[in-house]
Amino acid sequence: MHDIRLRKPMANPSAAYGAAPPSGVHHQTLAGLLVLASLAVLMLVGSRVDPAFGTFAVLGVAIGGTLQRSRFCFNSAFRDLIQFRSGRTMKGVIVGMTVATAGFGIHMRNLLPNPSLGPIAPEAHAIPLSVALLVGGMLFGIGMVVAGGCTSGSLYRIGEGYLASWVSVAGILAGLVLASHHWNWWWQHAIRRAPVVWLPRYLGYGGAVAATLVGLGLAYGLVLWIESRGGVGVQEFTAPASVRSFHEKLREIVAAVFGRGWPAPVGGAVLGFLNVLSYTAHMPWRVVGELSRWGNAAAAVVGLGPGPLQGTDELSACVVTVGGGVFTHGFLLNVGLIGGSLAAALLAHEFKWRIPRRPVRYLQSLGGGVFMGYGSGLALGCTAGAFFSAVPSLAVNGWIFAMALVAGASIGLRAINWIP
Amino acid sequence: MLLDVRGETCPYPMKKAIEAMERLPIGEVLEVLVDHPPAIDTIRMAANRYGFRMDVEPAGSGEWRIYLRRDTMR
């Protein structure tokens, strides 16, 4: 038996999370509802300016809430598999990509009925297979393990009150600015002539979806095999069998959704579904293209802007960007993500200002962030854009990026062992 | 024995819990204070691997108290 055992029998399932005061509503519940209400007002006001404003703000909030509830951490998906042979989170990631693969396939067929002619479906995350993708993936893998979270992870942890995540994001922005300065070199020497391998061009949509699903099935099998070789299982929380009355059942549902963490496959499936919605509204879920815009705008203020970037209009996914308005869809996704995570953390009574006590942790967050920023600049995306949204885009680059991430995460784990 | 790893994020809470489990005198309970939710899962993985039984209880907003005891059943 390796399940969580609460010290007292759970007469009240909601007692499983943050102890509520004996009477009245917990102050974090009130704060969470207030955050949700403020987000709703912002969306309604914004939707009068642009209808898509509301859509992407809602998607951002939903993605942030899902990441927080399921503790969906791409970093731990790779790290736990390597370190503990535990595939708990990675299985959730694979479930999410499976859901998105079907949805992306249908949507891309609507966008571009005949994929064999040459062009790639608009906004699909099909990225050139170049050395930059490999180097970028490895740097990103190192950075996420050292910083203790990837880009989307750092954003949702800002919502949970992690001070170090602000430092990580600052590092990511700095890394993206640096990558923007080096961009033209990488474009000329590596990315420009590299091939894009988008499966529907060769296999049609049906074949490409089937091949990707088989690939995901094999990946799931590989995770199971790794677990069977001395991995440690973690049992998901199960509802107490004693729940009977309607009132108790309602309370149990509320506790399961808002209180306890969601099982990884549930989080993955919801995230995959939200990704499909995001693509049908405009573009797959992506994070760092927008962050590069923030970084470069800030750099330009102090005279360190990167200047014109070559070839970026020929590329999709999270290509480094300069300029543009403030309220883009990417802005709403990223800022909504932080707001959604904050609301979810408050409703679960899990918000807390988390302040590292060891100064070296700030250095790790900053350094890891710079590695992630530079790596995602080269690879045209992070674990969200170049992996979670790339594999369902039916492009080979998502798989290559994942392999580079594994290599980088292994190096990152060695580095972590030297830092007490 | 009390181990306070509040403020630490993955993988440090788990790493420090493992170090403490290895040093824990026979018959004693290791009490770990965490405020990083994913650490509950990673410490559980470590507990399983090192043959410890684990209990968790909330300890205020965003904090948990974890009790680790050597599992005598295995």
Side-chain angles (χ1 to χ4, degrees), chain A residues 119-152:
Chain A
I120 290 159
E123 303 293 342
H125 285 203
I127 295 162
L129 303 181
S130 71
V131 177
L133 183 69
L134 287 176
V135 174
M138 277 186 63
L139 291 178
F140 194 93
I142 296 170
M144 73 177 181
V145 171
V146 171
C150 66
T151 39
S152 58

PDB file of all heavy atoms in Angstrom, chain A residues 119-152:
ATOM      1  N   PRO A 119       2.512  23.543 -49.708  1.00  0.00           N
ATOM      2  CA  PRO A 119       2.404  24.388 -48.510  1.00  0.00           C
ATOM      3  C   PRO A 119       1.996  23.572 -47.278  1.00  0.00           C
ATOM      4  O   PRO A 119       1.429  22.482 -47.405  1.00  0.00           O
ATOM      5  CB  PRO A 119       1.299  25.391 -48.869  1.00  0.00           C
ATOM      6  CG  PRO A 119       1.052  25.245 -50.315  1.00  0.00           C
ATOM      7  CD  PRO A 119       1.510  23.885 -50.720  1.00  0.00           C
ATOM      8  N   ILE A 120       2.282  24.145 -46.129  1.00  0.00           N
ATOM      9  CA  ILE A 120       1.938  23.502 -44.855  1.00  0.00           C
ATOM     10  C   ILE A 120       0.703  24.207 -44.309  1.00  0.00           C
ATOM     11  O   ILE A 120       0.528  25.411 -44.536  1.00  0.00           O
ATOM     12  CB  ILE A 120       3.129  23.620 -43.884  1.00  0.00           C
ATOM     13  CG1 ILE A 120       4.266  22.707 -44.392  1.00  0.00           C
ATOM     14  CG2 ILE A 120       2.755  23.248 -42.471  1.00  0.00           C
ATOM     15  CD1 ILE A 120       5.608  23.069 -43.876  1.00  0.00           C
ATOM     16  N   ALA A 121      -0.165  23.491 -43.605  1.00  0.00           N
ATOM     17  CA  ALA A 121      -1.377  24.097 -43.046  1.00  0.00           C
ATOM     18  C   ALA A 121      -0.997  25.328 -42.219  1.00  0.00           C
ATOM     19  O   ALA A 121      -0.038  25.278 -41.443  1.00  0.00           O
ATOM     20  CB  ALA A 121      -2.113  23.084 -42.174  1.00  0.00           C
ATOM     21  N   PRO A 122      -1.721  26.444 -42.379  1.00  0.00           N
ATOM     22  CA  PRO A 122      -1.386  27.663 -41.650  1.00  0.00           C
ATOM     23  C   PRO A 122      -1.319  27.421 -40.143  1.00  0.00           C
ATOM     24  O   PRO A 122      -2.148  26.702 -39.592  1.00  0.00           O
ATOM     25  CB  PRO A 122      -2.549  28.612 -41.985  1.00  0.00           C
ATOM     26  CG  PRO A 122      -3.152  28.080 -43.229  1.00  0.00           C
ATOM     27  CD  PRO A 122      -2.902  26.603 -43.235  1.00  0.00           C
ATOM     28  N   GLU A 123      -0.316  28.029 -39.515  1.00  0.00           N
ATOM     29  CA  GLU A 123      -0.115  27.998 -38.057  1.00  0.00           C
ATOM     30  C   GLU A 123       0.283  26.632 -37.500  1.00  0.00           C
ATOM     31  O   GLU A 123       0.436  26.481 -36.286  1.00  0.00           O
ATOM     32  CB  GLU A 123      -1.347  28.516 -37.291  1.00  0.00           C
ATOM     33  CG  GLU A 123      -1.789  29.922 -37.665  1.00  0.00           C
ATOM     34  CD  GLU A 123      -0.781  30.993 -37.273  1.00  0.00           C
ATOM     35  OE1 GLU A 123       0.081  30.720 -36.433  1.00  0.00           O
ATOM     36  OE2 GLU A 123      -0.880  32.113 -37.841  1.00  0.00           O
ATOM     37  N   ALA A 124       0.416  25.598 -38.357  1.00  0.00           N
ATOM     38  CA  ALA A 124       0.887  24.304 -37.843  1.00  0.00           C
ATOM     39  C   ALA A 124       2.319  24.467 -37.340  1.00  0.00           C
ATOM     40  O   ALA A 124       3.090  25.239 -37.909  1.00  0.00           O
ATOM     41  CB  ALA A 124       0.835  23.253 -38.937  1.00  0.00           C
ATOM     42  N   HIS A 125       2.658  23.746 -36.266  1.00  0.00           N
ATOM     43  CA  HIS A 125       3.996  23.886 -35.694  1.00  0.00           C
ATOM     44  C   HIS A 125       4.982  22.948 -36.380  1.00  0.00           C
ATOM     45  O   HIS A 125       5.552  22.064 -35.750  1.00  0.00           O
ATOM     46  CB  HIS A 125       3.951  23.676 -34.186  1.00  0.00           C
ATOM     47  CG  HIS A 125       3.360  24.843 -33.468  1.00  0.00           C
ATOM     48  ND1 HIS A 125       3.602  25.121 -32.147  1.00  0.00           N
ATOM     49  CD2 HIS A 125       2.547  25.840 -33.897  1.00  0.00           C
ATOM     50  CE1 HIS A 125       2.947  26.227 -31.790  1.00  0.00           C
ATOM     51  NE2 HIS A 125       2.293  26.661 -32.840  1.00  0.00           N
ATOM     52  N   ALA A 126       5.135  23.139 -37.694  1.00  0.00           N
ATOM     53  CA  ALA A 126       6.108  22.370 -38.464  1.00  0.00           C
ATOM     54  C   ALA A 126       7.362  23.229 -38.589  1.00  0.00           C
ATOM     55  O   ALA A 126       7.338  24.301 -39.182  1.00  0.00           O
ATOM     56  CB  ALA A 126       5.538  22.027 -39.831  1.00  0.00           C
ATOM     57  N   ILE A 127       8.453  22.759 -37.968  1.00  0.00           N
ATOM     58  CA  ILE A 127       9.672  23.552 -37.780  1.00  0.00           C
ATOM     59  C   ILE A 127      10.818  22.874 -38.541  1.00  0.00           C
ATOM     60  O   ILE A 127      10.902  21.637 -38.550  1.00  0.00           O
ATOM     61  CB  ILE A 127       9.989  23.626 -36.262  1.00  0.00           C
ATOM     62  CG1 ILE A 127       8.877  24.413 -35.537  1.00  0.00           C
ATOM     63  CG2 ILE A 127      11.343  24.268 -35.999  1.00  0.00           C
ATOM     64  CD1 ILE A 127       8.841  24.192 -34.042  1.00  0.00           C
ATOM     65  N   PRO A 128      11.689  23.649 -39.219  1.00  0.00           N
ATOM     66  CA  PRO A 128      12.798  23.031 -39.961  1.00  0.00           C
ATOM     67  C   PRO A 128      13.654  22.124 -39.068  1.00  0.00           C
ATOM     68  O   PRO A 128      13.948  22.468 -37.917  1.00  0.00           O
ATOM     69  CB  PRO A 128      13.617  24.230 -40.452  1.00  0.00           C
ATOM     70  CG  PRO A 128      12.650  25.357 -40.488  1.00  0.00           C
ATOM     71  CD  PRO A 128      11.686  25.113 -39.372  1.00  0.00           C
ATOM     72  N   LEU A 129      14.055  20.973 -39.635  1.00  0.00           N
ATOM     73  CA  LEU A 129      14.887  20.024 -38.889  1.00  0.00           C
ATOM     74  C   LEU A 129      16.347  20.431 -39.057  1.00  0.00           C
ATOM     75  O   LEU A 129      17.030  19.971 -39.967  1.00  0.00           O
ATOM     76  CB  LEU A 129      14.674  18.603 -39.427  1.00  0.00           C
ATOM     77  CG  LEU A 129      13.253  18.067 -39.408  1.00  0.00           C
ATOM     78  CD1 LEU A 129      13.194  16.647 -39.939  1.00  0.00           C
ATOM     79  CD2 LEU A 129      12.697  18.110 -37.988  1.00  0.00           C
ATOM     80  N   SER A 130      16.814  21.295 -38.175  1.00  0.00           N
ATOM     81  CA  SER A 130      18.179  21.796 -38.305  1.00  0.00           C
ATOM     82  C   SER A 130      18.962  21.534 -37.030  1.00  0.00           C
ATOM     83  O   SER A 130      18.410  21.074 -36.021  1.00  0.00           O
ATOM     84  CB  SER A 130      18.149  23.301 -38.568  1.00  0.00           C
ATOM     85  OG  SER A 130      17.753  23.974 -37.389  1.00  0.00           O
ATOM     86  N   VAL A 131      20.252  21.827 -37.093  1.00  0.00           N
ATOM     87  CA  VAL A 131      21.089  21.736 -35.892  1.00  0.00           C
ATOM     88  C   VAL A 131      20.530  22.645 -34.796  1.00  0.00           C
ATOM     89  O   VAL A 131      20.612  22.333 -33.603  1.00  0.00           O
ATOM     90  CB  VAL A 131      22.542  22.147 -36.238  1.00  0.00           C
ATOM     91  CG1 VAL A 131      23.414  22.130 -35.001  1.00  0.00           C
ATOM     92  CG2 VAL A 131      23.107  21.219 -37.282  1.00  0.00           C
ATOM     93  N   ALA A 132      19.931  23.766 -35.212  1.00  0.00           N
ATOM     94  CA  ALA A 132      19.391  24.720 -34.227  1.00  0.00           C
ATOM     95  C   ALA A 132      18.301  24.059 -33.372  1.00  0.00           C
ATOM     96  O   ALA A 132      18.190  24.334 -32.175  1.00  0.00           O
ATOM     97  CB  ALA A 132      18.833  25.948 -34.943  1.00  0.00           C
ATOM     98  N   LEU A 133      17.504  23.167 -33.991  1.00  0.00           N
ATOM     99  CA  LEU A 133      16.446  22.467 -33.246  1.00  0.00           C
ATOM    100  C   LEU A 133      17.069  21.565 -32.177  1.00  0.00           C
ATOM    101  O   LEU A 133      16.603  21.518 -31.033  1.00  0.00           O
ATOM    102  CB  LEU A 133      15.590  21.652 -34.221  1.00  0.00           C
ATOM    103  CG  LEU A 133      14.403  20.906 -33.621  1.00  0.00           C
ATOM    104  CD1 LEU A 133      13.322  21.860 -33.162  1.00  0.00           C
ATOM    105  CD2 LEU A 133      13.823  19.914 -34.635  1.00  0.00           C
ATOM    106  N   LEU A 134      18.149  20.854 -32.564  1.00  0.00           N
ATOM    107  CA  LEU A 134      18.817  19.947 -31.620  1.00  0.00           C
ATOM    108  C   LEU A 134      19.504  20.726 -30.501  1.00  0.00           C
ATOM    109  O   LEU A 134      19.338  20.410 -29.315  1.00  0.00           O
ATOM    110  CB  LEU A 134      19.869  19.105 -32.359  1.00  0.00           C
ATOM    111  CG  LEU A 134      19.336  18.007 -33.265  1.00  0.00           C
ATOM    112  CD1 LEU A 134      20.492  17.338 -34.003  1.00  0.00           C
ATOM    113  CD2 LEU A 134      18.566  16.972 -32.456  1.00  0.00           C
ATOM    114  N   VAL A 135      20.279  21.749 -30.885  1.00  0.00           N
ATOM    115  CA  VAL A 135      20.989  22.549 -29.877  1.00  0.00           C
ATOM    116  C   VAL A 135      19.974  23.229 -28.959  1.00  0.00           C
ATOM    117  O   VAL A 135      20.112  23.219 -27.729  1.00  0.00           O
ATOM    118  CB  VAL A 135      21.903  23.600 -30.560  1.00  0.00           C
ATOM    119  CG1 VAL A 135      22.521  24.527 -29.523  1.00  0.00           C
ATOM    120  CG2 VAL A 135      22.981  22.911 -31.380  1.00  0.00           C
ATOM    121  N   GLY A 136      18.927  23.796 -29.570  1.00  0.00           N
ATOM    122  CA  GLY A 136      17.897  24.475 -28.796  1.00  0.00           C
ATOM    123  C   GLY A 136      17.216  23.539 -27.813  1.00  0.00           C
ATOM    124  O   GLY A 136      17.008  23.880 -26.644  1.00  0.00           O
ATOM    125  N   GLY A 137      16.874  22.336 -28.268  1.00  0.00           N
ATOM    126  CA  GLY A 137      16.201  21.361 -27.403  1.00  0.00           C
ATOM    127  C   GLY A 137      17.081  20.957 -26.232  1.00  0.00           C
ATOM    128  O   GLY A 137      16.618  20.835 -25.088  1.00  0.00           O
ATOM    129  N   MET A 138      18.391  20.756 -26.511  1.00  0.00           N
ATOM    130  CA  MET A 138      19.303  20.358 -25.433  1.00  0.00           C
ATOM    131  C   MET A 138      19.461  21.479 -24.406  1.00  0.00           C
ATOM    132  O   MET A 138      19.403  21.236 -23.205  1.00  0.00           O
ATOM    133  CB  MET A 138      20.666  19.976 -26.011  1.00  0.00           C
ATOM    134  CG  MET A 138      20.681  18.548 -26.521  1.00  0.00           C
ATOM    135  SD  MET A 138      22.305  18.039 -27.054  1.00  0.00           S
ATOM    136  CE  MET A 138      23.217  18.130 -25.536  1.00  0.00           C
ATOM    137  N   LEU A 139      19.678  22.712 -24.917  1.00  0.00           N
ATOM    138  CA  LEU A 139      19.819  23.845 -23.987  1.00  0.00           C
ATOM    139  C   LEU A 139      18.552  23.991 -23.149  1.00  0.00           C
ATOM    140  O   LEU A 139      18.603  24.234 -21.945  1.00  0.00           O
ATOM    141  CB  LEU A 139      20.086  25.140 -24.764  1.00  0.00           C
ATOM    142  CG  LEU A 139      21.438  25.246 -25.464  1.00  0.00           C
ATOM    143  CD1 LEU A 139      21.530  26.564 -26.228  1.00  0.00           C
ATOM    144  CD2 LEU A 139      22.577  25.151 -24.444  1.00  0.00           C
ATOM    145  N   PHE A 140      17.401  23.824 -23.797  1.00  0.00           N
ATOM    146  CA  PHE A 140      16.136  23.958 -23.072  1.00  0.00           C
ATOM    147  C   PHE A 140      16.023  22.886 -21.985  1.00  0.00           C
ATOM    148  O   PHE A 140      15.609  23.160 -20.853  1.00  0.00           O
ATOM    149  CB  PHE A 140      14.951  23.871 -24.038  1.00  0.00           C
ATOM    150  CG  PHE A 140      13.671  24.339 -23.422  1.00  0.00           C
ATOM    151  CD1 PHE A 140      13.263  25.654 -23.555  1.00  0.00           C
ATOM    152  CD2 PHE A 140      12.877  23.478 -22.667  1.00  0.00           C
ATOM    153  CE1 PHE A 140      12.097  26.100 -22.958  1.00  0.00           C
ATOM    154  CE2 PHE A 140      11.714  23.911 -22.062  1.00  0.00           C
ATOM    155  CZ  PHE A 140      11.316  25.227 -22.213  1.00  0.00           C
ATOM    156  N   GLY A 141      16.402  21.647 -22.341  1.00  0.00           N
ATOM    157  CA  GLY A 141      16.337  20.542 -21.379  1.00  0.00           C
ATOM    158  C   GLY A 141      17.206  20.791 -20.159  1.00  0.00           C
ATOM    159  O   GLY A 141      16.804  20.551 -19.016  1.00  0.00           O
ATOM    160  N   ILE A 142      18.425  21.300 -20.402  1.00  0.00           N
ATOM    161  CA  ILE A 142      19.325  21.626 -19.284  1.00  0.00           C
ATOM    162  C   ILE A 142      18.679  22.718 -18.422  1.00  0.00           C
ATOM    163  O   ILE A 142      18.573  22.584 -17.205  1.00  0.00           O
ATOM    164  CB  ILE A 142      20.695  22.137 -19.816  1.00  0.00           C
ATOM    165  CG1 ILE A 142      21.417  21.042 -20.604  1.00  0.00           C
ATOM    166  CG2 ILE A 142      21.569  22.628 -18.650  1.00  0.00           C
ATOM    167  CD1 ILE A 142      22.655  21.533 -21.363  1.00  0.00           C
ATOM    168  N   GLY A 143      18.220  23.767 -19.089  1.00  0.00           N
ATOM    169  CA  GLY A 143      17.681  24.923 -18.371  1.00  0.00           C
ATOM    170  C   GLY A 143      16.475  24.589 -17.524  1.00  0.00           C
ATOM    171  O   GLY A 143      16.361  25.037 -16.379  1.00  0.00           O
ATOM    172  N   MET A 144      15.555  23.758 -18.068  1.00  0.00           N
ATOM    173  CA  MET A 144      14.325  23.506 -17.305  1.00  0.00           C
ATOM    174  C   MET A 144      14.606  22.695 -16.041  1.00  0.00           C
ATOM    175  O   MET A 144      13.984  22.908 -15.004  1.00  0.00           O
ATOM    176  CB  MET A 144      13.245  22.851 -18.179  1.00  0.00           C
ATOM    177  CG  MET A 144      13.453  21.423 -18.546  1.00  0.00           C
ATOM    178  SD  MET A 144      12.043  20.797 -19.501  1.00  0.00           S
ATOM    179  CE  MET A 144      12.587  19.091 -19.744  1.00  0.00           C
ATOM    180  N   VAL A 145      15.573  21.759 -16.117  1.00  0.00           N
ATOM    181  CA  VAL A 145      15.883  20.965 -14.925  1.00  0.00           C
ATOM    182  C   VAL A 145      16.594  21.828 -13.883  1.00  0.00           C
ATOM    183  O   VAL A 145      16.279  21.775 -12.689  1.00  0.00           O
ATOM    184  CB  VAL A 145      16.736  19.723 -15.296  1.00  0.00           C
ATOM    185  CG1 VAL A 145      17.241  19.030 -14.045  1.00  0.00           C
ATOM    186  CG2 VAL A 145      15.916  18.749 -16.131  1.00  0.00           C
ATOM    187  N   VAL A 146      17.537  22.676 -14.329  1.00  0.00           N
ATOM    188  CA  VAL A 146      18.294  23.514 -13.389  1.00  0.00           C
ATOM    189  C   VAL A 146      17.375  24.551 -12.730  1.00  0.00           C
ATOM    190  O   VAL A 146      17.450  24.804 -11.527  1.00  0.00           O
ATOM    191  CB  VAL A 146      19.484  24.195 -14.101  1.00  0.00           C
ATOM    192  CG1 VAL A 146      20.140  25.224 -13.188  1.00  0.00           C
ATOM    193  CG2 VAL A 146      20.505  23.144 -14.527  1.00  0.00           C
ATOM    194  N   ALA A 147      16.457  25.142 -13.542  1.00  0.00           N
ATOM    195  CA  ALA A 147      15.557  26.164 -12.991  1.00  0.00           C
ATOM    196  C   ALA A 147      14.401  25.536 -12.217  1.00  0.00           C
ATOM    197  O   ALA A 147      13.733  26.207 -11.440  1.00  0.00           O
ATOM    198  CB  ALA A 147      15.014  27.042 -14.117  1.00  0.00           C
ATOM    199  N   GLY A 148      14.137  24.234 -12.448  1.00  0.00           N
ATOM    200  CA  GLY A 148      13.049  23.559 -11.736  1.00  0.00           C
ATOM    201  C   GLY A 148      11.685  23.783 -12.369  1.00  0.00           C
ATOM    202  O   GLY A 148      10.659  23.618 -11.716  1.00  0.00           O
ATOM    203  N   GLY A 149      11.641  24.151 -13.643  1.00  0.00           N
ATOM    204  CA  GLY A 149      10.356  24.316 -14.331  1.00  0.00           C
ATOM    205  C   GLY A 149      10.586  24.864 -15.720  1.00  0.00           C
ATOM    206  O   GLY A 149      11.560  25.589 -15.938  1.00  0.00           O
ATOM    207  N   CYS A 150       9.702  24.490 -16.663  1.00  0.00           N
ATOM    208  CA  CYS A 150       9.858  24.975 -18.034  1.00  0.00           C
ATOM    209  C   CYS A 150       9.195  26.350 -18.161  1.00  0.00           C
ATOM    210  O   CYS A 150       8.894  26.998 -17.157  1.00  0.00           O
ATOM    211  CB  CYS A 150       9.276  23.973 -19.018  1.00  0.00           C
ATOM    212  SG  CYS A 150       7.495  23.781 -18.893  1.00  0.00           S
ATOM    213  N   THR A 151       8.953  26.808 -19.382  1.00  0.00           N
ATOM    214  CA  THR A 151       8.397  28.156 -19.555  1.00  0.00           C
ATOM    215  C   THR A 151       6.948  28.239 -19.085  1.00  0.00           C
ATOM    216  O   THR A 151       6.601  29.110 -18.286  1.00  0.00           O
ATOM    217  CB  THR A 151       8.482  28.589 -21.031  1.00  0.00           C
ATOM    218  OG1 THR A 151       8.191  27.473 -21.849  1.00  0.00           O
ATOM    219  CG2 THR A 151       9.863  29.089 -21.374  1.00  0.00           C
ATOM    220  N   SER A 152       6.087  27.315 -19.567  1.00  0.00           N
ATOM    221  CA  SER A 152       4.699  27.362 -19.112  1.00  0.00           C
ATOM    222  C   SER A 152       4.635  27.091 -17.618  1.00  0.00           C
ATOM    223  O   SER A 152       3.826  27.672 -16.895  1.00  0.00           O
ATOM    224  CB  SER A 152       3.841  26.353 -19.890  1.00  0.00           C
ATOM    225  OG  SER A 152       4.346  25.041 -19.739  1.00  0.00           O
TER     226      SER A 152
END
